[in-house]
Amino acid sequence: MSQTAPRVVEDTPHALPMLLRAALPSVPGLNALPGIRKHGTDLPDLALTRHDVPIDADHVAAYADVCGFPHKDTVPLTYPHMLAFGLHMAIMTDASFPFPAIGTVHLENTITQHRPVTVQEKLQVTARAENLRPHAKGQVFDMCTAVHAAGELVWEETSTFLRRGRGDDSAPAGAAFPEAPPTGIVWRLPGDLGRRYAAVSGDHNPIHLYPLTAKALGFPRQIAHGMWSKARCVAALENRLPDGVRVEVAFKKPILLPDSVAFGSRPEGGGYAFSLSNPKSGAPHLAGLTTAL
């Protein structure tokens, strides 16, 4: 089936109103009301795009500080996700989208940087949800993003999300990566890390903010954002990565805050395998791989 042309979004979608729309379908009673109730079995043929998106150098610097990147005249490899996040939320909170955004689990993320993006460039950012398919614990779908500069494809991302439900044991397993044992590097993560990352990313999901808000959604205390953990790993590898590179990760066990995580990396097939794990128990938090284009 052919895809419809993207719907143009004129400005950055506002994060807090979208967070409220994301939360309402998860509230008992309210989730049955027309306009709030989520229903359906298929993803909508919906794509959103923004043209001439400027890059705010101060915002890039704030993001770099939270994630451990140096300040440069190009944006961190993971930064364009910031420009796409509002579109992702607008799609998942659209009335045509069948699943509540709250409770959707981020399983995997792949970013392909075709070349570095400079702070001076203006970009076209387009996002679309697609490829709904069975999973052992429910269903998964991909949120796909493409970023162009003056017609040139410079950056792509695929985020894979899980909606828990009736699973299919015969469904394909998720991505698997080579092992990368810890190498002695341990990062101590403060309790306010989720709030600091939310301030720059716009991702104010309650599971990342405070112990009480996280407990209300089933976690013992707040957890780190998955995309922060990926960004922090990329920052640790940044000076070893080529301009054209693909970085894939699978998110494993949540990182509770405050806590410490052990970073590991080793050369693998011209790129690097890397990981985050609990330094005491060895429980995995993230596994990933970089590949030169």
Side-chain angles (χ1 to χ4, degrees), residues 177-224:
F177 300 107
E179 291 188 3
T183 51
I185 298 172
V186 175
W187 298 322
R188 293 175 175 82
L189 311 183
D192 68 347
L193 176 60
R195 299 190 293 277
R196 291 173 56 208
Y197 185 79
V200 297
S201 70
D203 185 354
H204 295 272
N205 188 323
I207 62 175
H208 302 302
L209 303 182
Y210 299 97
L212 284 177
T213 57
K215 285 179 181 178
L217 294 169
F219 294 90
R221 58 184 189 272
Q222 68 269 35
I223 66 173

Side-chain angles (χ1 to χ4, degrees), residues 66-89:
V66 170
C67 298
F69 289 97
H71 291 197
K72 300 168 65 175
D73 60 357
T74 56
V75 304
L77 182 146
T78 49
Y79 179 79
H81 178 81
M82 301 294 97
L83 306 178
F85 176 73
L87 297 181
H88 297 173
M89 289 298 295

Side-chain angles (χ1 to χ4, degrees), residues 1-268:
M1 184 177 66
S2 63
Q3 295 177 331
T4 60
R7 181 196 305 167
V8 176
V9 177
E10 295 297 340
D11 204 354
T12 306
H14 294 291
L16 291 179
M18 281 195 299
L19 179 63
L20 178 60
R21 292 203 302 272
L24 290 178
S26 301
V27 179
L30 291 179
N31 58 8
L33 295 177
I36 295 177
R37 180 170 65 96
K38 289 289 188 177
H39 59 91
T41 57
D42 296 315
L43 297 175
D45 184 15
L46 172 64
L48 301 180
T49 191
R50 292 182 63 210
H51 296 293
D52 296 324
V53 179
I55 297 175
D56 183 333
D58 291 338
H59 186 250
V60 173
Y63 175 85
D65 289 342
V66 170
C67 298
F69 289 97
H71 291 197
K72 300 168 65 175
D73 60 357
T74 56
V75 304
L77 182 146
T78 49
Y79 179 79
H81 178 81
M82 301 294 97
L83 306 178
F85 176 73
L87 297 181
H88 297 173
M89 289 298 295
I91 290 171
M92 287 196 280
T93 57
D94 190 87
S96 65
F97 198 79
F99 311 124
I102 298 295
T104 298
V105 181
H106 198 176
L107 292 184
E108 300 171 6
N109 180 272
T110 297
I111 289 173
T112 302
Q113 177 181 272
H114 295 280
R115 66 157 173 82
V117 175
T118 69
V119 176
Q120 293 78 25
E121 293 185 88
K122 289 190 176 182
L123 306 172
Q124 176 183 312
V125 183
T126 303
R128 183 190 303 269
E130 57 186 39
N131 196 19
L132 182 65
R133 57 199 184 275
H135 183 273
K137 296 183 179 180
Q139 293 178 292
V140 293
F141 65 91
D142 296 329
M143 187 68 73
C144 299
T145 303
V147 176
H148 291 78
E152 175 193 5
L153 179 64
V154 295
W155 191 92
E156 297 175 87
E157 177 186 51
T158 300
S159 287
T160 300
F161 292 96
L162 167 69
R163 282 304 308 178
R164 296 185 186 275
R166 179 178 296 178
D168 182 349
D169 291 336
S170 66
F177 300 107
E179 291 188 3
T183 51
I185 298 172
V186 175
W187 298 322
R188 293 175 175 82
L189 311 183
D192 68 347
L193 176 60
R195 299 190 293 277
R196 291 173 56 208
Y197 185 79
V200 297
S201 70
D203 185 354
H204 295 272
N205 188 323
I207 62 175
H208 302 302
L209 303 182
Y210 299 97
L212 284 177
T213 57
K215 285 179 181 178
L217 294 169
F219 294 90
R221 58 184 189 272
Q222 68 269 35
I223 66 173
H225 294 73
M227 288 305 294
W228 176 87
S229 64
K230 177 172 183 173
R232 186 64 188 87
C233 291
V234 173
L237 295 168
E238 187 202 38
N239 61 359
R240 289 175 272 172
L241 299 181
D243 287 348
V245 65
R246 179 173 294 111
V247 185
E248 306 169 78
V249 300
F251 301 112
K252 306 293 187 178
K253 296 182 180 296
I255 300 172
L256 300 175
L257 298 173
D259 208 343
S260 296
V261 292
F263 175 71
S265 68
R266 65 174 182 84
E268 175 67 32

